[in-house]
Structures are given as C-alpha cells and as structure tokens.
Amino acid sequence: MFYKALRYGVFLAFAAQLWLGPSAAHMAMAQPPSINYKTNPNVIYGVENYDYTSPLSPSGSDFPCKGELKYMGTQAGASVANYAPGGTFTIKLDGQATHSGGSCQASLSYDKGATFTVIKSWVGDCPHAQPSADQTFTGQIPSNAPSGEVVFAWTWFNELGNREMYMNCAIVTIGGGKRRRRFPEDIPGSSNGTANDLAPRAGLSGPGIFIANVGNGCTTVASKDVVFPSPGSTIQYGGSADLRVDPSGTCDGRKFTGGAFTGGGTNSGSSPGDSGSPSGHRGDCTYWASQGYLCSSSPSSRAINPFSFSLTLLAILGLVA
C-alpha cells in the first residue's frame, strides 16, 4: 500500500511539472522593483503580488500596473529609485520564459497612472530571446522631466505565445528639473483621467504608451515583433528586421492590418499579413527546451501531449502495482 501511494505521489508531482512548468516563470521587472514585487524593499508581507510574471487580463480589467497603483501613498508604494533628468535608468528583468523576445516600452506617469508617456521603445529582442542572456536594458530619463514621485512602467508584447500585454510598475523619484504639476484630481474643478486616456499630460511631452491585447480593439501579430505606431524619440531595434510588423486593428487612433511595417497605418481593410505560425523556431529543439518544453531533436519525433503522457504514465504505474 505504501509503495502504491508513493508511486501515485510521484506521478502527481511529475504531471504537475508537465502542466505548470512551461508557464511558471514568465518575465517581471526586478529593477526598479515593482510595487509589492518580491525584490521591493517596501513590500508588505501578506499582500505580495506573486502574479507579476503573468500578463494583464485580456479584458483590460487590471490595466494599468495589474491594479497595484492603489498602494500609492502607502508604505508599499514608497519610492524605490532616484533618477536625475538626463540621467540613465536601468531595467533588470527576472524570469526564464522570454517567448522569443518581442517589443517593450519604458514610460513615466505623472498623474497616478491615468496616462503614461513613452521615454524609450525597444522593437525586437526585448526581453532578449535567450533566457540565459543578461536581461538588462538601459535608457535615459528626458532632460526636461519634471521632478517628483512618478510611476515608472515597463510594458512588453511577446513575440511567441498568446497575444498578451505585460505591465509592471514601480514608484520612482525624479530629481531636479521643473517642479511637476499637481495631479489632476488635486486641482479644483478638474476631472481625473481614465486608464485608457492616452493623451500625455502633467508636464512631460511625448506619445502615450502602446496598448494592445486587452480588449481595446488593437492586437499584435503572433510570431512577430510589433513596431509601435508612436514609439517616441528614442528607439532601439533588435532581433530580425524581417519579423517587424505593424499591429492589427485600431491602435493609437489609426487602422493597421498587421502586415509589414508601414509606420503610418492604413484604411485599406486588407487582412493581416501573418498566419501566426511560429516558423522561426520550428525544429529548433535547443530553443524550445530553453523555454521549458519537452523536445526531441529527431526529425520523426512528435510533440508530447502532457495529458496523454500523464495517462500513459498512470497506466504504467498501475500495471506494476
């Protein structure tokens, strides 16, 4: 009886690894540490967010910042970094499941997350496609950035996998420069902005962040690196130029078809120019193994279905009972 229970326990643990392993650790912003993330020195135990490596809800219900901005003004929402206008910022990412990279943006919000202004865009290879790579990214705080506590956001649109949007946010302090304007709700007679109001406000000029895959009518194309319609003045390109395409749908007030990068959008109504097939890594066993999947390099091998494999293993354990 003991050995039967032991075998069954081993089976359950192995099956859980098959099901959960590939999706257990996407990417999260460790520096500057996101609100209530494990690397944040101000984290309040009991309210830690263990879901930072997951994407935003497809409905957009937890946009922006996975709902963590409610902690602004509390211990958990205290500033974790200081940046000077014109100085360098550094983003360090945790995780292994890079989904072959994709495109990212860094942005600042001076109105508690109502709007976000892009300060740098990375198109392709963000995060770096190889999980073992140094996942460090740098950029420059605008020299005219007003001073004060602001929301620093990292957003990511993965190349491979489901069409998703990832967003992590930290509270940081910008020093020097002009005194920032008060938040809109602090000004008598003013109205507070909404999460989907993209017009940048509160003293920092530049385009609003790209928002897609959250039920807003704009999506990214599978197996491609999205080229942001409004990337801002600082853009860094990586990966293959052949993978760079426009988004699909109505994005930033313009219509796109998801085809080859045009930069301006189109009203042609043509169908998206990509089928969504991950052909860029077909047959690349080393790559898929690095993403947490079981893989065989034999040309005649077939992909292992975790459910079928689990049933087979259970049957074998039953036969030797």
Side-chain angles (χ1 to χ4, degrees):
M1 184 70 180
F2 171 79
Y3 291 106
K4 283 185 178 180
L6 180 61
R7 283 193 296 269
Y8 187 66
V10 171
F11 161 74
L12 288 179
F14 188 72
Q17 180 64 28
L18 283 175
W19 282 107
L20 300 178
S23 60
H26 292 91
M27 308 301 292
M29 184 173 69
Q31 181 181 332
S34 302
I35 303 169
N36 281 326
Y37 187 58
K38 60 184 180 181
T39 59
N40 192 314
N42 304 312
V43 65
I44 298 177
Y45 296 101
V47 296
E48 308 98 315
N49 190 332
Y50 294 105
D51 197 39
Y52 264 119
T53 57
S54 298
L56 294 176
S57 168
S59 69
S61 61
D62 54 356
F63 177 92
C65 307
K66 298 186 73 66
E68 292 295 318
L69 294 186
K70 63 187 177 184
Y71 291 101
M72 290 185 70
T74 71
Q75 173 190 330
S79 177
V80 293
N82 289 277
Y83 300 124
T88 299
F89 68 81
T90 299
I91 295 174
K92 290 186 178 180
L93 304 177
D94 276 348
Q96 292 292 315
T98 65
H99 291 279
S100 197
S103 298
C104 305
Q105 289 186 311
S107 61
L108 298 177
S109 173
Y110 280 82
D111 51 12
K112 298 183 179 180
T115 62
F116 290 83
T117 302
V118 177
I119 57 176
K120 184 168 182 178
S121 293
W122 292 264
V123 175
D125 201 37
C126 182
H128 298 309
Q130 289 300 324
S132 60
D134 180 9
Q135 301 291 352
T136 300
F137 300 83
T138 61
Q140 187 178 46
I141 299 293
S143 59
N144 63 340
S147 62
E149 283 193 1
V150 301
V151 182
F152 182 101
W154 169 73
T155 46
W156 168 38
F157 300 89
N158 51 303
E159 181 184 306
L160 294 186
N162 296 329
R163 299 299 82 209
E164 298 166 334
M165 177 177 180
Y166 294 77
M167 186 176 196
N168 291 183
C169 299
I171 305 302
V172 304
T173 300
I174 307 296
K178 297 184 298 182
R179 179 183 177 86
R180 70 169 176 83
R181 288 198 231 165
R182 291 180 294 168
F183 295 123
E185 62 269 32
D186 297 332
I187 302 174
S190 66
S191 61
N192 190 18
T194 64
N196 291 314
D197 176 10
L198 298 183
R201 292 180 285 144
L204 183 61
S205 62
I209 60 168
F210 178 69
I211 302 175
N213 305 327
V214 288
N216 63 331
C218 178
T219 59
T220 57
V221 178
S223 307
K224 302 293 183 181
D225 296 327
V226 65
V227 178
F228 301 116
S230 303
S233 59
T234 306
I235 313 167
Q236 183 173 325
Y237 292 93
S240 171
D242 295 337
L243 296 178
R244 299 170 195 159
V245 299
D246 287 331
S248 179
T250 301
C251 312
D252 288 5
R254 287 173 280 171
K255 247 186 157 54
F256 295 89
T257 64
F261 170 57
T262 64
T266 177
N267 294 309
S268 65
S270 57
S271 60
D274 181 71
S275 64
S277 171
S279 58
H281 294 282
R282 183 173 294 140
D284 185 351
C285 190
T286 300
Y287 171 78
W288 288 112
S290 74
Q291 298 298 299
Y293 293 92
L294 295 176
C295 177
S296 170
S297 58
S298 169
S300 60
S301 65
R302 299 181 64 183
I304 297 177
N305 183 296
F307 182 68
S308 300
F309 186 81
S310 300
L311 291 179
T312 302
L313 181 60
L314 182 60
I316 293 173
L317 291 173
L319 289 175
V320 298

